[in-house]
Amino acid sequence: MACRLCVCIPAALLENLGPRDSLERSFGLTKHNAGRAFLILLLYVVILYAALFLFDMPFAFGVQSAAHDPAMLRVWTALMQVGNFVASILFTPVFTIAASIFYFDLRVRKEAFDLQLMMNPQAAGVPAPRSAIGLLS
């Protein structure tokens, strides 16, 4: 289920869809591509757990050594939670970026979506927003 829903957030944000529509859009885009989504999720989990191991383990050893001292146990536990927070903050954007790239890849493969057109809508004859027209005058 997570493999089929991994592009619902980029679909909701970039296509301005509601919750139900973005879930349906994600299911449609990832049809026959759930294996690729699984690899993205697997790599993210591996990277996240490696970071958690790196940031949490030094403090986990401190927790073990301070098992009989409640004050130090609280300090080591708090430091372990800070390490967990830092690891999550540093590596959660990796999944968001990977899901966005996967979303655009699916759109290009399934719908012949052109990224250049999306990045520069004025080249295709799409009128500029009114705020941009006022600045050019």
Side-chain angles (χ1 to χ4, degrees):
M1 187 63 85
C3 296
R4 296 293 302 272
L5 294 175
C6 74
V7 295
C8 68
I9 294 174
L13 293 176
L14 297 172
E15 295 181 27
N16 198 21
L17 299 174
R20 181 182 171 98
D21 293 334
S22 66
L23 294 174
E24 290 173 357
R25 180 77 168 136
S26 180
F27 266 97
L29 284 174
T30 56
K31 186 176 183 180
H32 304 299
N33 288 298
R36 291 174 58 206
F38 176 75
L39 287 176
I40 291 171
L41 287 169
L42 180 68
L43 287 173
Y44 166 69
V45 168
V46 167
I47 290 171
L48 181 64
Y49 277 105
L52 288 172
F53 182 78
L54 178 70
F55 287 106
D56 282 354
M57 275 317 207
F59 304 121
F61 291 129
V63 167
Q64 290 296 324
S65 67
H68 299 292
D69 185 9
M72 284 308 293
L73 184 63
R74 276 187 246 125
V75 169
W76 284 112
T77 303
L79 289 172
M80 193 167 73
Q81 291 298 318
V82 169
N84 189 340
F85 175 75
V86 169
S88 297
I89 290 296
L90 290 177
F91 292 100
T92 299
V94 170
F95 175 71
T96 306
I97 293 168
S100 298
I101 291 171
F102 184 52
Y103 164 78
F104 283 118
D105 182 60
L106 289 172
R107 294 240 6 227
V108 167
R109 289 175 190 259
K110 289 190 172 229
E111 301 170 349
F113 182 71
D114 189 15
L115 289 177
Q116 190 64 29
L117 174 66
M118 187 199 76
M119 291 171 47
N120 189 7
Q122 287 81 16
V126 177
R130 292 190 183 267
S131 60
I133 293 173
L135 293 175
L136 296 175
S137 300

